[in-house]
Amino acid sequence: MFGSLRQRFASRLRERGRRRARLVSKDGRCNIEFGNVEQSRFVFLIDIWTTILDLRWRYKMTIFISAFLGSWFLFGLLWYVVAYIHKDLPEFNPSINHTPCVENINGLTSAFLFSLETQVTIGYGFRCVTEQCATAIFLLIFQSILGVIINSFMCGAILAKISRSKNRAKTITFSKNAVISKRGGKLCLLIRVANLRKSLLIGSHIYGKLLRTTITPEGETIILDQVNIDFVVDAGNENLFFISPLTIYHIIDKNSPFFHTAAETLLQQDFELVVFLDGTVEATSATCQVRTSYIPEEVLWGYRFAPIVSKTKEGKYRVDFQNFSKTVAVETPHCAFCLHNEKEAKAKETKCYDNPGFVLSEVCETSDTKM
C-alpha cells in the first residue's frame, strides 16, 4: 500500500517537473508579471475608469460601498458642523422663535440620516433646509451635484463591468487538443472552435502566434519570440459564419514553422501556440477577443476530430458537443518534409514528354565484318 502511494507521489512530482510554463492559459488569461516598473503607480489613477473596470468584483464592490458610505458620512459631518455653528442643536437650548438651518437635526445621527436622504433624493419630508442660512443652501447644492456624479460613475462602472465583451468570450470554446493529420492532401494542424450562443460574432477573424525561444545568428537569445501562424477554414478566415462549430487548420508547408517537425520530435519541441479569435458582439457591437494556447503535449499527431454535426429526421441540424474534443486516429505521414518529398517523387515519376518529330529507325545487324 505504502509502495503504491510512494510511486503515485513520485509520478506526480515527475509530471510537475515536466510541466511547461505557458504564457496564455487555456481559458485565455495571460501569465505574466511586471517587475521593477520605474513609472509611478499614479499613472493608473489618471486612467481611473480603466483601472476600476479591470479590478476584480470584490475590490469593485468595496469601492462602490465605500464611495457611498464615505460621502454620506462626510456630508453628515458637514451638516452637523453647520447645525453646531448656527446653534441649532438641543444642547444650546434654542428659543421657540429660533429658525434652524435644517429642521429636526438633533445630533450626528440625524445629520447622517439627512445627508443620506439628500444624496439619494429620498425626501421623507421630516428634515428639510430652511432659507435661514446661505451655507446650508450651498452645501445642499454641492452634495446634490456630487451625489449625481458619484452615482453615475459607480453605477456606470458596474454596468460596464457586467456588459464587458470579456464575458461574451466565455461562451466561445476551443478544443482541448490540437491535431495534425492530412486534409485535402496536405498535412495540417487542426483546431476546433465553437460558439455556444446562437447570436453571431460579426466580422470574426482567426489567427495564431507561435511563441518559442530562438537564438539569433549574433548569439542573442530571444525569449517569447513570436511567429505568425495563419489559420483558415474552407470558406476563408475572414467574416466567418460562426453559427456552428468550425474546424480551423494551418497548412504545414515550406513556409510553416512546423515543416521540419516530425511525430517523433514533437514532444521534444519547446513552443506555445496561442490562438486568437477576434469579432464584434452582435448584441452590443463591442469588440471581443478569445484566446487559448496549446503546448506540445496538447498537439496530437495522427488524429482528426470526430464528426459533431448531424441532421435529424425533422430536418434540423444537431450539434453533439460530446464529440467536440473527441479525436480519431488516422493514417498520417510522420513529417511534412517526408510528405513533400514523396509528392515530388511521384510527380517526377508521372512526368512524360512526347516528341512528335521523333522517328524510330530500324538498324539492320549483319554478321559479316570487314577487316
Side-chain angles (χ1 to χ4, degrees):
M1 177 179 178
F2 291 102
S4 62
L5 290 176
R6 191 182 299 109
Q7 292 178 358
R8 186 178 302 176
F9 181 73
S11 63
R12 287 282 183 87
L13 290 179
R14 286 194 298 268
E15 290 178 1
R16 183 172 297 181
R18 291 194 302 265
R19 188 176 300 170
R20 302 174 188 258
R22 60 199 312 161
L23 178 66
V24 179
S25 63
K26 298 296 289 184
D27 57 356
R29 292 177 298 175
C30 295
N31 180 27
I32 191 168
E33 180 181 350
F34 297 104
N36 300 324
V37 180
E38 296 180 358
Q39 202 167 12
S40 175
R41 294 184 179 273
F42 181 73
V43 296
F44 294 99
L45 297 179
I46 297 177
D47 187 14
I48 187 65
W49 178 254
T50 306
T51 302
I52 293 295
L53 290 183
D54 289 339
L55 290 176
R56 296 185 177 181
W57 274 108
R58 54 178 176 267
Y59 302 123
K60 185 184 294 291
M61 295 307 299
T62 301
I63 295 176
F64 181 85
I65 296 173
S66 300
F68 283 101
L69 288 180
S71 61
W72 296 340
F73 184 75
L74 175 62
F75 280 99
L77 289 176
L78 294 178
W79 286 116
Y80 179 79
V81 171
V82 169
Y84 184 86
I85 293 175
H86 199 253
K87 297 183 179 181
D88 298 336
L89 299 177
E91 55 262 28
F92 292 105
N93 297 319
S95 60
I96 299 176
N97 298 327
H98 178 77
T99 303
C101 290
V102 181
E103 295 282 356
N104 299 309
I105 286 187
N106 302 319
L108 185 59
T109 302
S110 56
F112 174 79
L113 292 176
F114 178 72
S115 173
L116 171 63
E117 296 166 8
T118 300
Q119 189 163 327
V120 299
T121 63
I122 294 177
Y124 290 125
F126 181 66
R127 301 180 183 88
C128 60
V129 177
T130 63
E131 68 277 5
Q132 183 65 27
C133 54
T135 304
I137 299 175
F138 174 79
L139 186 59
L140 176 65
I141 296 173
F142 183 71
Q143 183 178 5
S144 299
I145 296 175
L146 186 62
V148 171
I149 295 175
I150 294 176
N151 187 58
S152 302
F153 183 86
M154 298 309 301
C155 292
I158 295 295
L159 181 61
K161 181 75 171 179
I162 295 174
S163 60
R164 288 187 78 177
S165 57
K166 185 177 181 180
N167 298 326
R168 176 65 174 92
K170 295 181 179 179
T171 56
I172 306 295
T173 181
F174 287 89
S175 57
K176 181 180 179 182
N177 297 305
V179 298
I180 295 178
S181 60
K182 291 178 64 176
R183 186 183 182 94
K186 300 178 181 179
L187 191 65
C188 300
L189 184 144
L190 300 98
I191 297 172
R192 179 171 277 174
V193 58
N195 180 14
L196 301 181
R197 289 186 180 273
K198 292 184 178 180
S199 59
L200 300 178
L201 284 180
I202 304 173
S204 300
H205 175 60
I206 297 177
Y207 59 97
K209 297 286 184 180
L210 185 67
L211 308 179
R212 59 186 180 181
T213 301
T214 59
I215 300 177
T216 63
E218 295 76 17
E220 180 185 2
T221 301
I222 302 178
I223 301 177
L224 296 180
D225 186 24
Q226 300 185 15
V227 180
N228 290 328
I229 302 293
D230 295 327
F231 283 98
V232 295
V233 295
D234 294 334
N237 63 341
E238 297 283 351
N239 300 325
L240 305 177
F241 186 51
F242 202 11
I243 193 64
S244 63
L246 298 176
T247 300
I248 62 175
Y249 58 91
H250 164 71
I251 301 175
I252 304 178
D253 53 12
K254 289 185 177 180
N255 299 323
S256 172
F258 298 103
F259 184 69
H260 296 283
T261 303
E264 297 82 5
T265 61
L266 177 62
L267 296 180
Q268 301 173 5
Q269 303 292 323
D270 185 13
F271 66 84
E272 180 179 355
L273 176 61
V274 184
V275 183
F276 302 86
L277 172 61
D278 296 341
T280 303
V281 181
E282 186 180 25
T284 62
S285 298
T287 57
C288 170
Q289 184 181 88
V290 192
R291 300 180 294 266
T292 191
S293 68
Y294 299 92
I295 56 178
E297 288 81 3
E298 296 170 346
V299 179
L300 306 179
W301 194 293
Y303 288 84
R304 65 171 175 83
F305 290 110
I308 191 174
V309 181
S310 60
K311 194 173 183 179
T312 63
K313 296 180 180 180
E314 294 80 9
K316 295 183 178 180
Y317 292 95
R318 183 175 183 271
V319 179
D320 186 8
F321 279 94
Q322 186 177 0
N323 294 336
F324 180 73
S325 294
K326 187 177 180 181
T327 56
V328 180
V330 292
E331 183 179 354
T332 306
H334 79 101
C335 67
F337 185 74
C338 299
L339 178 62
H340 180 74
N341 292 340
E342 181 183 349
K343 287 184 177 181
E344 285 188 349
K346 289 183 178 180
K348 290 181 180 179
E349 290 178 359
T350 56
K351 283 182 179 179
C352 60
Y353 302 95
D354 294 331
N355 187 359
F358 178 77
V359 178
L360 179 64
S361 61
E362 296 181 358
V363 180
C364 297
E365 296 183 357
T366 59
S367 59
D368 295 336
T369 303
K370 292 183 180 181
M371 298 297 292

